[in-house]
Amino acid sequence: MSEQSALQYYRYRIMRDPKRLIDWFNDNWAHSRRLRFACYLGGFAIVMLLLAWATLGRNLPDAESLLEYETPLPTVVRGIDGEIVNTYARERRVQLQYVDFPEKLIDAFLSAEDKTFFSHGGVDITGTANAVIDYATKFGSGQRAVGGSTITQQVAKNLLLGDEYSVTRKLKEMVLATRIESVLTKQEILELYLNEIPLGRRSFGVQAAARAYFDKDVGDLDLNEMAFLAILPKAPERYGRARYHDLAITRRNFVLDQMVANNFVTAQEAAAAKRQDLGLVQQRSERSADAGYFLEEVRRQLIDKFGETADDGRNSVYAGGLWVRTSLDTELQLAARDALRKQLISYHGNRGFTKPIATLNPDNGDLTSQLASSNISINYEDWRVGVVTAPGRIGFSDGEEFALSGGPSSLAVGDVVAAVKSGSGYAIRGVPEVSGAFLAEAPQTGRILAMQGGFDSRLGSFNRATQALRQPGSTIKPFVYASALDHGMTPATQVPDQTFCVWQGANLGDKCFRNFGGGGGGVHTLRWGLEQSRNLMTVHIADDTGMDNVIKTIDRMGIGKYEPYYSFALGAGDTTVARMVNAYAALANWGRQNDGSVIDYVQDRDGMVIYRTDRRNCIGCNMAEWDGQPMPRFEVSGRQVLDPRTAFQMVHMLQGVVTRGTAVRLRSLDLPLFGKTGTTNGPTNAWFVGGSPDIIAGMYVGFDQPRNLGGWVQGGNTAATIMKRFIEATKDRWQAEDFVAPPGVRMVKIDRRSGKRVFEGTPSDEPTASIIWEAFKPDTEPPRATRSDEIAAKRNEILELIRLARQGAQRAQANQDGVRADDFVEEQGGIY
């Protein structure tokens, strides 16, 4: 048949067949009631379907929004070495690309959830029909019918609709599924599904679930483990529990059988997988660094900058998927934690149990459940936190209960306590009531390396390193002395160690200051007064310098804003450990101060840096070609808050505090250290702040509600001990290089006691050395003899001339009287 005749044939058939159908319909319409009824019914159904479709689809979310959908991801925190130290997450989530999912893992989910996924258009008619039948049979029974949803429908439900149980939601789900199929590829749909599906243990997505259930990445899962994950969408909070172990095994084996039926695995592979137990790991914290106070400070700052939830913006802490680089040094952090804890335990001594950690109300329900939801715990040796459930009984957050021994009669039901395993039960332990804080910082950058705000952050989030306002005691004195150096004094200036009284008015009379431990007298150098922490000398220095100048220096160092009262020169004003450490860091950094920081920089989920603490410019660093000039360098960081020469003079004097002063117990470490101890009235606080050219640390010990620590407690025997333990635990991190003097400092040999300049002898670092090197600004060095020495010498010279003149006159008189001059002088005893 020719091409022309073929075209004519098909044209004829197209014109003829519809005409026959129309003729038949016209002939029967008038005579067949059934045809008319069927047509009316079918038309009505079509109209209703279109109306329902339009009504349901009109207010549905836009499927195209999935093209720009971003999985809510947790914030990942890294330490100073780049290692992950924590995540901020209310849900476990890890986003993977489609190529990252193992093929057999995809096969397992298809076999369990949607074996026709790659062939349907979003809705599986057979599965939907089965769901309708199941719904009809269970209607009114209260039982939930099977969903019959495809993977695409589940994506629509999880990401766009929610989990409402209704026919309307199911119809909307079907509409959205068809729209999603027209917008996304099958691979993109699967990627969304496998990243978002809730799988229990607060896990969303297969990678997070693999970590939660098996502590593995998806690429390391075995076949039996992949099949287990595939059963979780049906009952995500059920199959992972121990009491449903057998049910989980049965369901997992069913999935393996389906994989065989779908030719995804062989029968032999499935049989081998079935022989494996579930192998689930216990849930555990994902934190890898015991730095709760530090990490909470990071979290607080991130929330202030970026918000908490997705509603606050794209880069929120709990949904933005941020990558945060911090200054946390885990080695120094653990050493700080242990050093502070050991001192708190040592102070606590044999006091035993003092008071409960917290108290729960038995009227509010099961006590162990309340304990679990309180998040109170402890990480110290083998101690556990439990709650008294009955006299002599303790319960833990996992629901287990044991006998409790060692508790006092005052212990009541609901008291939360620490306990340790003892035989078949537990024995109570006393958490130290006294507390304290520790913070370490790098002076050249302000990066906070370690932070311990109490015994354990799990017992309470109050951070005593940054939030507790405490009196710093004598640790404030270096800044009083620094102000004096800026106003004409030198380390060799002589100051009286004598009574100083201030008239406070007719009602209050005189306020007289005294040294710690009493005593005093004489006149001494500034260095000696600082090394021995003499209160009277400090008040005299503040008075000579002017208290207005002193408080300006303290304010400029960021310690606090105080009134010009002399008591503030002795540390009566409130401040924090963080502020004091930052101020001492400026001393070690030639008077340049960098704000203390815990965050280095923040990247968004795409790797773009969206925040950087160090905002210095490097002019020329990004030039296309080298211009032959010196290498571009960053500008100096920080702000100049103190004369560099004054800062070095203070560091040099504070080294004497370690060599022969109140912090002498640190001398045995044989390191170039400087620092100052502090003890407040009571004593209520014991302090030490100081360090090396690279690490500055500060710490205190005291009760949260300040009260007397005991007369024997001082900064030198309590806080300085913490510093010593900290350094001993991290000795390899401390350099032997001494502090370097800035330009404009002259090192002069002086007599340590008198402050006079000497030219003979060799200076020594020995504690009892009589000759030492001292730092002076130009033209402030002491002369070999002071003015008072010159006056005394002149006086002696005059007296000697007078004596000689008298002797001459007396000899002449004696000669006249016949008396020997030598006998006369001997009788008179001479003139001195």
Side-chain angles (χ1 to χ4, degrees):
M1 185 169 53
S2 66
E3 184 178 346
Q4 183 65 24
S5 60
L7 289 174
Q8 292 175 346
Y9 171 77
Y10 287 117
R11 186 180 295 114
Y12 167 75
R13 292 296 303 269
I14 291 172
M15 296 296 294
R16 187 194 67 174
D17 292 345
K19 185 176 183 301
R20 286 183 177 179
L21 180 60
I22 293 171
D23 292 341
W24 176 87
F25 185 81
N26 290 333
D27 290 342
N28 288 277
W29 176 262
H31 304 93
S32 176
R33 182 178 298 177
R34 291 183 178 179
L35 177 62
R36 290 196 301 273
F37 178 76
C39 289
Y40 289 140
L41 184 61
F44 177 77
I46 292 173
V47 170
M48 293 303 296
L49 182 61
L50 291 174
L51 287 174
W53 190 272
T55 302
L56 292 172
R58 182 175 54 189
N59 296 321
L60 287 179
D62 187 1
E64 291 189 359
S65 64
L66 294 179
L67 291 171
E68 300 178 356
Y69 176 78
E70 291 182 328
T71 300
L73 294 176
T75 290
V76 179
V77 183
R78 297 181 182 272
I80 198 170
D81 56 0
E83 292 295 321
I84 294 176
V85 295
N86 194 42
T87 57
Y88 300 127
R90 296 191 174 107
E91 301 166 344
R92 291 187 175 97
R93 291 180 182 268
V94 181
Q95 187 175 22
L96 300 181
Q97 303 295 320
Y98 181 78
V99 295
D100 297 324
F101 299 115
E103 183 179 353
K104 281 188 171 55
L105 179 65
I106 295 175
D107 294 339
F109 274 88
L110 294 179
S111 298
E113 294 294 314
D114 189 0
K115 65 181 180 181
T116 63
F117 173 74
F118 282 101
S119 60
H120 64 63
V123 178
D124 182 1
I125 301 302
T126 303
T128 302
N130 290 335
V132 170
I133 295 172
D134 189 63
Y135 180 82
T137 57
K138 293 179 179 177
F139 183 77
S141 66
Q143 300 181 21
R144 186 160 182 156
V146 297
S149 296
T150 64
I151 284 177
T152 311
Q153 288 176 260
Q154 292 183 56
V155 169
K157 177 186 70 173
N158 293 333
L159 301 186
L160 299 175
L161 290 177
D163 197 26
E164 177 192 359
Y165 181 63
S166 68
V167 175
T168 302
R169 195 269 298 164
K170 180 63 68 175
L171 293 173
K172 291 180 179 180
E173 182 183 291
M174 295 169 65
V175 174
L176 263 182
T178 59
R179 294 181 180 179
I180 291 173
E181 291 277 350
S182 67
V183 172
L184 303 178
T185 66
K186 290 289 188 180
Q187 288 76 15
E188 289 172 334
I189 295 171
L190 263 180
E191 182 180 308
L192 280 173
Y193 174 76
L194 294 175
N195 278 324
E196 293 291 332
I197 187 71
L199 297 174
R201 293 194 179 184
R202 298 189 301 112
S203 300
F204 288 76
V206 293
Q207 170 63 20
R211 276 289 174 188
Y213 289 99
F214 302 110
D215 198 22
K216 293 181 178 181
D217 293 322
V218 289
D220 300 325
L221 294 174
D222 296 326
L223 178 60
N224 62 298
E225 295 166 338
M226 295 178 184
F228 172 81
L229 294 184
I231 74 174
L232 294 175
K234 293 294 184 186
E237 297 297 339
R238 185 179 188 186
Y239 290 127
R241 298 180 182 273
R243 59 173 167 262
Y244 297 114
H245 175 272
D246 294 341
L247 190 62
I249 289 284
T250 301
R251 177 66 182 172
R252 182 202 66 182
N253 292 346
F254 168 77
V255 172
L256 289 169
D257 289 336
Q258 291 298 304
M259 294 182 72
V260 173
N262 295 329
N263 295 320
F264 292 145
V265 297
T266 65
Q268 291 78 9
E269 290 174 320
K274 288 179 181 180
R275 289 193 291 269
Q276 302 297 319
D277 196 11
L278 293 181
L280 307 183
V281 299
Q282 291 185 346
Q283 296 190 59
R284 54 191 177 86
S285 172
E286 296 181 9
R287 179 184 296 170
S288 60
D290 191 9
Y293 294 105
F294 188 105
L295 295 170
E296 176 58 22
E297 180 67 17
V298 173
R299 189 187 76 93
R300 183 188 63 78
Q301 292 188 20
L302 289 174
I303 289 176
D304 287 344
K305 288 179 173 64
F306 303 110
E308 185 171 359
T309 65
D311 294 336
D312 297 318
R314 179 177 184 263
N315 296 316
S316 64
V317 172
Y318 287 99
L322 303 178
W323 290 83
V324 182
R325 186 66 168 263
T326 71
S327 54
L328 177 65
D329 188 310
T330 52
E331 180 185 3
L332 297 182
Q333 173 63 37
L334 294 178
R337 179 201 68 182
D338 293 343
L340 179 62
R341 281 181 175 178
K342 191 167 184 177
Q343 190 61 36
L344 298 181
I345 289 289
S346 175
Y347 177 87
H348 187 75
N350 297 321
R351 292 178 176 84
F353 179 84
T354 53
K355 67 176 185 178
I357 298 169
T359 300
L360 304 178
N361 188 349
D363 296 336
N364 293 337
D366 181 68
L367 288 170
T368 57
S369 297
Q370 289 187 58
L371 180 64
S373 61
S374 71
N375 293 321
I376 299 174
S377 62
I378 196 169
N379 180 28
Y380 178 71
E381 295 182 349
D382 55 351
W383 291 17
R384 297 181 68 183
V385 166
V387 59
V388 178
T389 56
R393 300 287 294 175
I394 186 171
F396 297 104
S397 57
D398 57 8
E400 294 185 314
E401 291 192 23
F402 298 90
L404 178 65
S405 61
S409 57
S410 60
L411 207 60
V413 174
D415 284 345
V416 177
V417 298
V420 64
K421 186 72 175 176
S422 177
S424 59
Y426 278 79
I428 200 167
R429 289 291 181 266
V431 176
E433 187 179 2
V434 70
S435 195
F438 186 108
L439 188 143
E441 180 179 314
Q444 290 78 21
T445 60
R447 301 167 83 192
I448 295 174
L449 307 173
M451 182 190 298
Q452 187 70 16
F455 191 84
D456 196 319
S457 62
R458 299 163 186 81
L459 300 176
S461 60
F462 182 67
N463 189 344
R464 295 161 187 83
T466 59
Q467 295 175 300
L469 292 172
R470 312 290 297 200
Q471 292 181 337
S474 293
T475 58
I476 201 74
K477 289 178 180 176
F479 306 100
V480 179
Y481 282 63
S483 185
L485 295 177
D486 277 341
H487 288 83
M489 293 189 183
T490 75
T493 298
Q494 297 282 328
V495 178
D497 184 27
Q498 298 166 4
T499 302
F500 186 93
C501 296
V502 178
W503 176 253
Q504 301 181 101
N507 293 330
L508 298 176
D510 279 330
K511 162 65 177 178
C512 293
F513 295 89
R514 65 182 184 86
N515 288 318
F516 183 85
V523 179
H524 306 279
T525 64
L526 258 72
R527 168 178 284 277
W528 187 88
L530 186 62
E531 290 177 354
Q532 303 304 317
S533 197
R534 307 298 284 181
N535 289 346
L536 290 176
M537 291 182 66
T538 302
V539 178
H540 276 287
I541 291 168
D543 184 60
D544 291 343
T545 304
M547 271 307 299
D548 286 334
N549 294 321
V550 170
I551 62 172
K552 285 178 183 177
T553 299
I554 293 174
D555 182 23
R556 194 168 63 250
M557 302 301 295
I559 296 172
K561 296 181 180 295
Y562 307 133
E563 297 295 327
Y565 302 140
Y566 291 107
S567 58
F568 290 126
L570 300 178
D574 289 335
T575 188
T576 67
V577 174
R579 294 182 202 166
M580 292 302 298
V581 171
N582 195 241
Y584 273 72
L587 294 179
N589 195 36
W590 289 2
R592 291 195 72 86
Q593 189 173 49
N594 297 282
D595 292 333
S597 64
V598 293
I599 298 172
D600 289 347
Y601 58 86
V602 180
Q603 296 168 279
D604 64 15
R605 66 173 68 215
D606 301 319
M608 179 69 68
V609 175
I610 57 176
Y611 172 80
R612 188 186 296 275
T613 298
D614 186 352
R615 299 180 181 179
R616 292 177 295 164
N617 293 320
C618 183
I619 300 173
C621 285
N622 293 326
M623 66 176 65
E625 295 181 2
W626 180 46
D627 59 2
Q629 299 301 311
M631 180 185 296
R633 298 186 183 277
F634 284 104
E635 59 191 27
V636 179
S637 65
R639 58 192 177 279
Q640 198 73 46
V641 294
L642 200 64
D643 186 320
R645 301 168 300 175
T646 299
F648 179 78
Q649 286 179 298
M650 286 312 309
V651 169
H652 192 60
M653 293 167 66
L654 288 169
Q655 286 184 281
V657 176
V658 175
T659 302
R660 55 190 153 264
T662 56
V664 70
R665 69 178 53 238
L666 300 178
R667 188 177 69 209
S668 62
L669 295 170
D670 196 25
L671 288 170
L673 300 174
F674 82 108
K676 185 71 185 74
T677 60
T679 309
T680 58
N681 287 341
T684 56
N685 300 280
W687 283 77
F688 176 81
V689 188
S692 73
D694 300 314
I695 302 174
I696 308 298
M699 60 229 68
Y700 85 88
V701 172
F703 292 99
D704 286 343
Q705 297 298 323
R707 67 173 191 262
N708 197 314
L709 289 166
W712 60 273
V713 173
Q714 296 180 29
N717 61 24
T718 301
T721 302
I722 299 174
M723 185 68 174
K724 186 174 184 179
R725 290 192 181 112
F726 174 68
I727 295 175
E728 288 173 339
T730 58
K731 197 66 177 292
D732 60 321
R733 303 291 300 275
W734 298 78
Q735 304 298 321
E737 287 80 7
D738 207 343
F739 294 89
V740 177
V745 170
R746 297 192 61 182
M747 302 303 294
V748 177
K749 290 192 293 185
I750 67 168
D751 180 85
R752 179 172 60 86
R753 293 180 177 84
S754 68
K756 298 176 183 177
R757 188 171 185 175
V758 297
F759 293 91
E760 298 82 14
T762 302
S764 171
D765 292 331
E766 291 299 317
T768 58
S770 59
I771 302 175
I772 63 171
W773 288 111
E774 190 60 272
F776 293 93
K777 297 170 185 174
D779 300 326
T780 65
E781 311 95 312
R784 185 168 188 173
T786 64
R787 178 63 178 163
S788 61
D789 292 334
E790 294 175 357
I791 294 172
K794 197 67 175 177
R795 174 178 174 275
N796 291 335
E797 181 182 348
I798 294 172
L799 289 174
E800 180 64 15
L801 291 173
I802 294 172
R803 185 181 67 82
L804 292 174
R806 286 180 178 178
Q807 286 181 348
Q810 291 167 347
R811 282 195 182 94
Q813 184 64 40
N815 288 334
Q816 293 179 2
D817 298 338
V819 179
R820 290 193 323 163
D822 291 342
D823 292 339
F824 179 82
V825 173
E826 183 177 350
E827 288 176 2
Q828 299 299 316
I831 298 175
Y832 297 96

